[in-house]
Amino acid sequence: LYLLATKEQRYAQIMRLRRALFSDRTNAYITRLCTIADRSFGGFLEGKVVDSLIIGLMTYVAVLIFRIPYPALVATIVGVTNILPFFGPIIGAIPTSVIVLLTEPQKVLTLLIIIVIIQQIDGNIIGPKILGNSTGLSAFWVMFSILFFGGALGFTGMIIGVPLFGLIYWWTKIAVADRLAKKGLPTATESYRAPGGPTD
Protein backbone atom coordinates (compact mmCIF):
# COMPACT_ATOMS: atom_id res chain seq x y z
CA LEU A 1 0.00 0.00 0.00
CA TYR A 2 2.84 2.37 0.82
CA LEU A 3 4.52 1.64 -2.51
CA LEU A 4 1.28 2.11 -4.47
CA ALA A 5 0.43 5.35 -2.67
CA THR A 6 3.85 6.84 -3.45
CA LYS A 7 4.59 5.17 -6.79
CA GLU A 8 5.02 8.47 -8.70
CA GLN A 9 7.59 9.66 -6.15
CA ARG A 10 9.45 6.32 -6.27
CA TYR A 11 9.45 6.40 -10.07
CA ALA A 12 10.88 9.94 -10.06
CA GLN A 13 13.59 8.92 -7.58
CA ILE A 14 14.57 5.87 -9.64
CA MET A 15 14.66 7.92 -12.87
CA ARG A 16 16.77 10.61 -11.17
CA LEU A 17 19.25 7.97 -10.00
CA ARG A 18 19.34 6.30 -13.40
CA ARG A 19 19.93 9.58 -15.22
CA ALA A 20 22.78 10.38 -12.83
CA LEU A 21 24.47 6.98 -13.15
CA PHE A 22 23.90 5.94 -16.78
CA SER A 23 24.08 7.42 -20.26
CA ASP A 24 20.91 8.13 -22.26
CA ARG A 25 21.58 5.09 -24.43
CA THR A 26 21.91 2.78 -21.38
CA ASN A 27 18.77 4.30 -19.84
CA ALA A 28 16.83 3.68 -23.03
CA TYR A 29 18.04 0.05 -22.96
CA ILE A 30 17.03 -0.35 -19.29
CA THR A 31 13.58 1.11 -20.01
CA ARG A 32 13.14 -1.28 -22.92
CA LEU A 33 14.18 -4.26 -20.77
CA CYS A 34 11.86 -3.22 -17.91
CA THR A 35 8.96 -2.86 -20.35
CA ILE A 36 9.56 -6.38 -21.68
CA ALA A 37 9.83 -7.75 -18.12
CA ASP A 38 6.61 -6.01 -17.12
CA ARG A 39 4.80 -7.42 -20.16
CA SER A 40 6.16 -10.91 -19.55
CA PHE A 41 5.60 -11.19 -15.78
CA GLY A 42 2.35 -9.16 -15.79
CA GLY A 43 1.00 -11.16 -18.72
CA PHE A 44 1.89 -14.43 -16.99
CA LEU A 45 0.09 -13.40 -13.80
CA GLU A 46 -2.99 -12.29 -15.73
CA GLY A 47 -2.90 -15.50 -17.77
CA LYS A 48 -2.71 -17.69 -14.65
CA VAL A 49 -5.66 -15.88 -13.07
CA VAL A 50 -7.78 -16.32 -16.23
CA ASP A 51 -6.67 -19.96 -16.53
CA SER A 52 -7.56 -20.67 -12.89
CA LEU A 53 -10.95 -18.98 -13.31
CA ILE A 54 -11.72 -21.20 -16.31
CA ILE A 55 -10.62 -24.33 -14.42
CA GLY A 56 -12.76 -23.32 -11.43
CA LEU A 57 -15.81 -22.86 -13.67
CA MET A 58 -15.21 -26.16 -15.46
CA THR A 59 -14.87 -27.92 -12.11
CA TYR A 60 -18.06 -26.27 -10.83
CA VAL A 61 -20.07 -27.44 -13.86
CA ALA A 62 -18.66 -30.99 -13.69
CA VAL A 63 -19.28 -31.24 -9.94
CA LEU A 64 -22.88 -30.04 -10.42
CA ILE A 65 -23.47 -32.59 -13.17
CA PHE A 66 -22.24 -35.47 -10.98
CA ARG A 67 -24.06 -34.11 -7.88
CA ILE A 68 -20.94 -33.93 -5.72
CA PRO A 69 -21.57 -32.02 -2.46
CA TYR A 70 -20.37 -28.42 -1.92
CA PRO A 71 -19.80 -27.63 -5.62
CA ALA A 72 -18.95 -23.94 -5.05
CA LEU A 73 -16.42 -24.73 -2.33
CA VAL A 74 -14.82 -27.56 -4.30
CA ALA A 75 -14.57 -25.43 -7.47
CA THR A 76 -13.12 -22.49 -5.54
CA ILE A 77 -10.41 -24.61 -3.91
CA VAL A 78 -9.50 -26.28 -7.22
CA GLY A 79 -9.46 -22.92 -9.06
CA VAL A 80 -7.36 -21.09 -6.47
CA THR A 81 -4.78 -23.86 -6.08
CA ASN A 82 -4.52 -24.14 -9.87
CA ILE A 83 -2.47 -20.92 -9.82
CA LEU A 84 0.47 -23.03 -8.60
CA PRO A 85 1.92 -25.01 -11.52
CA PHE A 86 2.16 -28.83 -11.30
CA PHE A 87 1.62 -29.14 -7.55
CA GLY A 88 -1.46 -26.89 -7.47
CA PRO A 89 -3.90 -29.58 -8.67
CA ILE A 90 -2.55 -32.07 -6.10
CA ILE A 91 -2.82 -29.49 -3.32
CA GLY A 92 -6.39 -28.72 -4.42
CA ALA A 93 -7.40 -32.38 -4.70
CA ILE A 94 -6.49 -33.23 -1.10
CA PRO A 95 -8.83 -30.88 0.85
CA THR A 96 -11.67 -31.29 -1.64
CA SER A 97 -11.41 -35.09 -1.38
CA VAL A 98 -11.51 -34.86 2.42
CA ILE A 99 -14.60 -32.62 2.28
CA VAL A 100 -16.43 -35.05 -0.03
CA LEU A 101 -15.18 -38.06 1.96
CA LEU A 102 -16.78 -36.70 5.14
CA THR A 103 -20.17 -36.19 3.46
CA GLU A 104 -20.55 -38.66 0.58
CA PRO A 105 -17.58 -41.07 0.52
CA GLN A 106 -18.83 -42.97 -2.52
CA LYS A 107 -18.27 -39.84 -4.70
CA VAL A 108 -14.60 -39.26 -3.84
CA LEU A 109 -13.35 -41.37 -6.75
CA THR A 110 -15.66 -39.50 -9.14
CA LEU A 111 -14.28 -36.18 -7.89
CA LEU A 112 -10.68 -37.30 -8.32
CA ILE A 113 -11.39 -38.49 -11.87
CA ILE A 114 -13.00 -35.11 -12.67
CA ILE A 115 -9.97 -33.24 -11.30
CA VAL A 116 -7.50 -35.41 -13.24
CA ILE A 117 -9.42 -35.00 -16.53
CA ILE A 118 -9.77 -31.23 -16.11
CA GLN A 119 -6.10 -30.86 -15.20
CA GLN A 120 -5.09 -32.86 -18.29
CA ILE A 121 -7.19 -30.56 -20.46
CA ASP A 122 -5.69 -27.53 -18.71
CA GLY A 123 -2.08 -28.72 -18.85
CA ASN A 124 -2.15 -29.74 -22.51
CA ILE A 125 -4.63 -27.34 -24.14
CA ILE A 126 -5.98 -24.43 -22.08
CA GLY A 127 -2.90 -23.47 -20.02
CA PRO A 128 -0.33 -23.28 -22.84
CA LYS A 129 -2.81 -21.42 -25.08
CA ILE A 130 -3.73 -18.78 -22.47
CA LEU A 131 -0.20 -18.35 -21.13
CA GLY A 132 1.14 -18.21 -24.67
CA ASN A 133 -1.28 -15.44 -25.60
CA SER A 134 -0.64 -13.45 -22.42
CA THR A 135 3.16 -13.69 -22.50
CA GLY A 136 3.62 -13.67 -26.28
CA LEU A 137 5.10 -17.18 -26.30
CA SER A 138 3.85 -20.11 -28.35
CA ALA A 139 2.44 -23.16 -26.54
CA PHE A 140 5.68 -25.02 -27.36
CA TRP A 141 7.83 -22.39 -25.59
CA VAL A 142 5.49 -22.31 -22.59
CA MET A 143 5.84 -26.08 -22.13
CA PHE A 144 9.59 -25.90 -22.78
CA SER A 145 10.13 -23.14 -20.21
CA ILE A 146 8.13 -24.96 -17.51
CA LEU A 147 10.05 -28.20 -18.08
CA PHE A 148 13.47 -26.55 -18.42
CA PHE A 149 13.26 -24.15 -15.48
CA GLY A 150 11.37 -26.70 -13.39
CA GLY A 151 14.23 -29.16 -13.92
CA ALA A 152 16.91 -26.51 -13.31
CA LEU A 153 15.40 -24.59 -10.38
CA GLY A 154 12.77 -26.99 -9.01
CA PHE A 155 9.50 -25.59 -7.69
CA THR A 156 10.68 -21.97 -8.00
CA GLY A 157 11.56 -22.60 -11.64
CA MET A 158 8.05 -23.92 -12.33
CA ILE A 159 6.56 -20.68 -11.01
CA ILE A 160 8.91 -18.15 -12.64
CA GLY A 161 9.91 -20.23 -15.68
CA VAL A 162 7.36 -18.90 -18.18
CA PRO A 163 7.73 -15.16 -17.45
CA LEU A 164 11.52 -15.48 -17.16
CA PHE A 165 11.75 -17.31 -20.47
CA GLY A 166 9.36 -14.73 -21.96
CA LEU A 167 11.78 -12.00 -20.90
CA ILE A 168 14.77 -13.88 -22.38
CA TYR A 169 12.82 -14.66 -25.57
CA TRP A 170 11.74 -11.06 -26.23
CA TRP A 171 15.15 -9.63 -25.33
CA THR A 172 16.81 -12.10 -27.74
CA LYS A 173 14.25 -11.34 -30.43
CA ILE A 174 14.88 -7.58 -30.19
CA ALA A 175 18.68 -8.00 -30.02
CA VAL A 176 18.69 -10.25 -33.11
CA ALA A 177 16.40 -7.86 -35.01
CA ASP A 178 18.70 -4.93 -34.16
CA ARG A 179 21.80 -6.83 -35.32
CA LEU A 180 20.12 -7.87 -38.59
CA ALA A 181 18.91 -4.32 -39.22
CA LYS A 182 22.47 -2.98 -38.71
CA LYS A 183 23.72 -5.48 -41.31
CA GLY A 184 20.98 -4.43 -43.73
CA LEU A 185 19.32 -7.87 -43.61
CA PRO A 186 15.58 -8.56 -43.34
CA THR A 187 14.33 -9.00 -39.76
CA ALA A 188 11.21 -11.11 -40.46
CA THR A 189 11.58 -14.85 -39.71
CA GLU A 190 9.68 -15.69 -42.91
CA SER A 191 12.63 -14.32 -44.94
CA TYR A 192 14.81 -17.17 -43.69
CA ARG A 193 12.57 -20.15 -44.50
CA ALA A 194 14.02 -22.91 -46.66
CA PRO A 195 13.01 -22.67 -50.33
CA GLY A 196 10.01 -24.92 -50.99
CA GLY A 197 9.44 -25.43 -47.25
CA PRO A 198 6.10 -25.01 -45.46
CA THR A 199 4.81 -21.45 -45.19
CA ASP A 200 2.77 -21.93 -42.00
Side-chain angles (χ1 to χ4, degrees):
L1 289 173
Y2 280 120
L3 286 172
L4 288 173
T6 60
K7 65 179 184 286
E8 289 83 7
Q9 178 69 13
R10 301 291 153 252
Y11 176 78
Q13 289 172 336
I14 291 168
M15 288 306 295
R16 181 172 177 261
L17 181 64
R18 276 177 48 186
R19 294 299 294 270
L21 293 176
F22 305 114
S23 66
D24 288 344
R25 183 178 177 183
T26 303
N27 273 315
Y29 181 78
I30 292 170
T31 300
R32 198 175 189 184
L33 194 62
C34 289
T35 303
I36 295 168
D38 178 58
R39 183 195 310 150
S40 182
F41 280 84
F44 176 75
L45 186 60
E46 289 172 16
K48 281 304 287 182
V49 169
V50 170
D51 178 46
S52 296
L53 185 63
I54 291 170
I55 294 308
L57 290 172
M58 286 174 63
T59 304
Y60 182 72
V61 170
V63 166
L64 279 179
I65 291 170
F66 288 94
R67 300 181 184 279
I68 293 172
Y70 306 111
L73 179 61
V74 169
T76 302
I77 293 171
V78 170
V80 169
T81 57
N82 188 67
I83 292 174
L84 297 170
F86 287 104
F87 297 112
I90 297 168
I91 294 169
I94 294 168
T96 53
S97 298
V98 171
I99 291 167
V100 174
L101 184 66
L102 294 173
T103 51
E104 294 186 39
Q106 69 276 13
K107 294 191 175 177
V108 172
L109 184 59
T110 306
L111 174 66
L112 290 173
I113 291 170
I114 289 169
I115 291 173
V116 167
I117 291 171
I118 289 175
Q119 289 306 323
Q120 289 301 312
I121 294 169
D122 177 44
N124 294 306
I125 300 168
I126 299 172
K129 182 67 177 168
I130 291 175
L131 294 178
N133 290 341
S134 61
T135 58
L137 296 173
S138 67
F140 169 79
W141 289 121
V142 170
M143 294 299 291
F144 172 83
S145 60
I146 290 172
L147 292 171
F148 177 79
F149 285 104
L153 303 174
F155 182 68
T156 305
M158 291 179 191
I159 294 174
I160 66 166
V162 174
L164 183 60
F165 185 80
L167 176 62
I168 294 167
Y169 178 86
W170 283 104
W171 179 81
T172 304
K173 185 176 181 180
I174 289 169
V176 168
D178 288 348
R179 293 281 301 237
L180 289 171
K182 283 179 184 175
K183 291 182 175 183
L185 298 169
T187 58
T189 304
E190 289 72 25
S191 304
Y192 297 92
R193 292 191 185 277
T199 56
D200 187 8

